[in-house]
Amino acid sequence: MNSLRRAARMGFEGVDSLFGRAFGPDWNPMYHLGTLGWFFYWIVCVSGIYLYIFFDTGITQAYESLEYITHVQWYAGGVMRSLHRYASDALIIVMMLHLLREFVMDRYRGARWFTWFTGVPLIWLVFACGISGYWMVWDVLAQYIAIASTEWLDSLGIFGQSIARNFLNEATLSGRFFTLMVFIHIAVPLFMLLVMWIHIQRQRNARVNPPQGLAIGTLGMLLVLSVVKPAVSQPPANLDRVPAVIDFDWFYLAGYPLLDHWPGLAVWALAGAGTLLLALMPLLPPARRSRVARVDLANCNGCGRCVDDCPYSAVALQPRTDAAAFSQEAVVSDNLCTACGICVGACPTSTPFRRATRLAPGINLPDMDLHELRDQLLAATESLTGTGRVMLFGCRHGPDIEWLRGPDTATMTLPCIAMLPPSFIDFLVSRKHADGVFLTGCSAGDCHYRLGQQWEDRRLAGARDPYLRARVPRERVGVCWAGLTGRSRLERELKAFRDRLWVLPPIERRKQWSVIKRIIEGEEGHG
Ligand code: HEM
Ligand code: SF4
Ligand code: SF4
């Protein structure tokens, strides 16, 4: 399963990089599938409201009113109708890609189960919106949908009398069910908005708008498509005749041909089993969870930086529960924490300069204790040789960096690159443990933990607390967001970085860490 997922992930990253070349990392649509979903939703709503002004909800008048909108008012109503249809199709496409991407990238298990789980009803709701929309046109496609859908509903056997009877022939045709469809087509999107809002509740700073450029470009494309190939109705419905040819919308109606070949109940069983399987996916199998972040009250001053930086709203501030002079303290919710370590990188107490005592930050990952991490780091840099000694940090979800380890390169892999407090970079460079520090991780703009890359970039640029201090020469800090597929790019950029280090004035070598450690341990023993 893991090798299959890895292969799929490489495939996705390959497609990402193609889009990345065309759009750049900021506008890469593959990184904005969720926000594009919101964007298409709003286009559908706005165009839908416009259409509703001119739409006649009577079953016999609906078709005529849409013909008027499409052909007489083609410059406004016609364009709006096409936008309505194409944005609905685009919503299906981005939703399915979004689902597949979150699965392949393994961003749906563990603490993230809730976001996945609340995505599942959205699939049903999107389909309900689209199908009821096609129904309202009351052309031959609507006729097919009406008959197939009502027969499918009847197969459940829970309605007192057959609903399909309403669509037996022109004489039995009743506007009652049609009016219900109009109501559904308005009520479901409103309910969907509520579910979409719930869907992103566990994401801190959830993005719901695509970047402006991507939004304008996408809208422009839809507009061009609307003018070049306007959405039109098919011949009007006539229940006394079986339509010979129907143009199908495979985005919304792909499951309908199954109803022609399978009993309705079998299709219900398939749809129900599919939904259940999808909903249970986070448990099949559950993620192997690392132990969640822990707050050490003795070192927490309640500054709230961990709260600001946590991508999953897993840390909160609460009134102090000990006798310390601070008014608040951080508290971690075990259910929400993904053990990414970003909070550790944000905490002002995570500084390696406090060397005489055990390094105990206000918040720590039990499986990646910062004190041990500092020791490992010092041990790793101690054996580095040459004038281009590089400490290379990577993240678990980015490229493998172990193969780059060598006499002049030490490596360390963190859960997320933003677990690295900038003070560690300062420490390594200003204490001359390395000539340069190089960071890599997920592809630019696609952090596995949503915000880690963004926070680390801003910390290095001095734009977000905790800052990388100005005294650290920036030419000694390199970054390459390589992603899983960017192995050779990482190698190239690391080499170029080292070449640049060689021409910088040499930095004096630090006394060996093992010697310093012996001195400290000696002092502590004496004390
Ligand atoms: C109308 C359909 C949908 C829309 C508009 C939508 C929108 C979004 C948005 C805006 C985010 C947050 C992005 C961020 O700030 O990081 C998100 C996250 C997510 N969505 Fe959806 N979504 C939809 C359907 C689905 C479906 C069908 C699933 C899967 C069943 C799903 C699974 C997820 C997961 C797992 C995340 C969390 C990713 C993470 O933790 O990094 N979504 N979605
Ligand atoms: S960042 Fe550190 S000191 Fe500040 S509230 Fe969080 S744990 Fe406490
Ligand atoms: S490790 Fe820290 S930043 Fe990451 S989810 Fe847990 S509390 Fe939030």
Side-chain angles (χ1 to χ4, degrees):
M1 178 72 172
N2 274 350
S3 50
L4 208 69
R5 193 197 299 274
R6 199 181 155 81
R9 196 180 149 188
M10 299 283 273
F12 252 107
E13 288 210 4
V15 176
D16 290 354
S17 70
L18 285 181
F19 275 101
R21 257 175 243 162
F23 294 90
D26 292 344
W27 290 4
N28 190 335
M30 295 300 284
Y31 301 160
H32 295 281
L33 294 169
T35 56
L36 282 173
W38 274 81
F39 185 60
F40 291 131
Y41 172 85
W42 291 125
I43 296 180
V44 170
C45 284
V46 171
S47 52
I49 290 169
Y50 184 90
L51 294 178
Y52 193 68
I53 296 170
F54 300 96
F55 181 70
D56 196 320
T57 54
I59 193 160
T60 42
Q61 298 86 13
Y63 186 86
E64 283 311 318
S65 68
L66 268 175
E67 287 297 282
Y68 164 81
I69 292 169
T70 312
H71 300 293
V72 181
Q73 213 200 88
W74 59 269
Y75 49 88
V79 171
M80 283 295 188
R81 181 180 182 191
S82 302
L83 275 181
H84 197 68
R85 177 170 309 172
Y86 294 139
S88 307
D89 285 343
L91 176 56
I92 286 271
I93 298 172
V94 293
M95 180 178 73
M96 289 309 187
L97 280 175
H98 170 62
L99 180 158
L100 207 63
R101 195 163 204 285
E102 301 304 340
F103 174 73
V104 165
M105 298 290 187
D106 203 358
R107 297 175 185 171
Y108 66 102
R109 294 188 286 176
R112 289 152 134 163
W113 73 269
F114 176 86
T115 317
W116 174 271
F117 190 77
T118 51
V120 178
L122 282 175
I123 304 174
W124 277 93
L125 293 171
V126 169
F127 276 99
C129 289
I131 292 167
S132 56
Y134 273 116
W135 200 313
M136 284 168 61
V137 179
W138 206 236
D139 58 1
V140 285
L141 179 62
Q143 176 179 342
Y144 168 79
I145 292 172
I147 295 168
S149 309
T150 48
E151 283 177 352
W152 192 39
L153 285 170
D154 281 344
S155 71
L156 281 173
I158 54 173
F159 302 101
Q161 45 174 259
S162 161
I163 316 171
R165 280 169 59 97
N166 288 308
F167 303 100
L168 270 182
N169 51 46
E170 286 292 312
T172 60
L173 178 62
S174 126
R176 215 160 31 110
F177 209 74
F178 191 78
T179 314
L180 177 67
M181 219 27 71
V182 176
F183 172 75
I184 287 177
H185 195 62
I186 294 167
V188 173
L190 289 175
F191 183 60
M192 193 175 137
L193 184 60
L194 175 71
V195 182
M196 278 160 64
W197 177 78
I198 295 171
H199 182 60
I200 52 165
Q201 279 318 291
R202 284 203 177 177
Q203 317 264 317
R204 190 172 182 82
N205 295 350
R207 294 169 305 181
V208 287
N209 295 318
Q212 214 177 37
L214 182 61
I216 293 171
T218 311
L219 181 62
M221 260 171 47
L222 287 182
L223 275 170
V224 170
L225 187 63
S226 302
V227 172
V228 174
K229 195 176 183 319
V232 289
S233 306
Q234 297 182 44
N238 183 344
L239 293 173
D240 293 335
R241 279 205 304 259
V242 177
V245 188
I246 302 174
D247 257 350
F248 222 57
D249 179 318
W250 288 98
F251 294 112
Y252 279 93
L253 308 172
Y256 272 72
L258 207 57
L259 288 168
D260 294 335
H261 300 98
W262 281 20
L265 273 179
V267 180
W268 277 116
L270 183 71
T275 308
L276 193 67
L277 183 71
L278 215 52
L280 294 178
M281 218 61 169
L283 300 175
L284 302 173
R288 234 182 299 134
R289 287 184 75 177
S290 306
R291 283 179 294 165
V292 301
R294 280 280 154 259
V295 175
D296 176 9
L297 273 192
N299 288 287
C300 171
N301 60 24
C303 70
R305 283 188 201 159
C306 52
V307 180
D308 291 342
D309 277 13
C310 174
Y312 295 98
S313 304
V315 210
L317 289 179
Q318 67 177 22
R320 205 77 199 184
T321 54
D322 60 4
F326 308 106
S327 60
Q328 292 188 300
E329 65 186 35
V331 55
V332 175
S333 159
D334 291 3
N335 293 333
L336 303 181
C337 179
T338 58
C340 64
I342 295 177
C343 50
V344 182
C347 183
T349 60
S350 299
T351 164
F353 289 101
R354 294 160 47 194
R355 198 189 277 150
T357 53
R358 185 177 167 78
L359 168 52
I363 195 160
N364 209 350
L365 286 187
D367 291 337
M368 203 145 212
D369 178 77
L370 207 63
H371 179 82
E372 285 164 23
L373 208 121
R374 184 184 66 178
D375 278 0
Q376 286 165 16
L377 205 54
L378 291 167
T381 49
E382 190 170 295
S383 52
L384 290 178
T385 53
T387 44
R389 297 167 306 140
V390 174
M391 182 64 225
L392 171 62
F393 289 99
C395 86
R396 270 187 212 144
H397 307 278
D400 176 24
I401 56 167
E402 289 313 306
W403 66 286
L404 289 164
R405 193 188 295 175
D408 51 5
T409 310
T411 57
M412 177 168 283
T413 302
L414 302 168
C416 174
I417 202 67
M419 182 183 172
L420 184 69
S423 56
F424 270 68
I425 301 176
D426 183 7
F427 178 69
L428 286 167
V429 174
S430 61
R431 294 287 173 90
K432 303 172 179 75
H433 294 294
D435 298 306
V437 174
F438 201 83
L439 311 185
T440 184
C442 306
S443 309
D446 189 34
C447 175
H448 186 78
Y449 294 108
R450 302 181 56 244
L451 304 172
Q453 205 177 69
Q454 196 181 333
W455 293 165
E456 198 63 14
D457 269 338
R458 289 202 201 162
R459 290 171 190 168
L460 298 189
R464 187 178 181 89
D465 240 348
Y467 310 112
L468 177 63
R469 289 173 71 176
R471 70 174 179 188
V472 180
R474 290 314 194 256
E475 58 277 19
R476 292 194 181 274
V477 183
V479 179
C480 169
W481 300 127
L484 210 56
T485 50
R487 213 174 131 113
S488 49
R489 184 160 69 87
L490 172 63
E491 190 182 14
R492 260 196 330 272
E493 293 197 14
L494 183 63
K495 183 179 176 306
F497 176 67
R498 201 190 313 280
D499 289 349
R500 287 199 298 277
L501 288 181
W502 279 331
V503 296
L504 292 176
I507 58 169
E508 195 192 313
R509 291 294 293 275
R510 181 81 191 152
K511 206 182 264 178
Q512 294 241 305
W513 169 239
S514 49
V515 178
I516 299 169
K517 213 172 170 194
R518 273 204 301 277
I519 296 171
I520 295 169
E521 281 162 4
E523 278 169 5
E524 284 178 351
H526 286 104

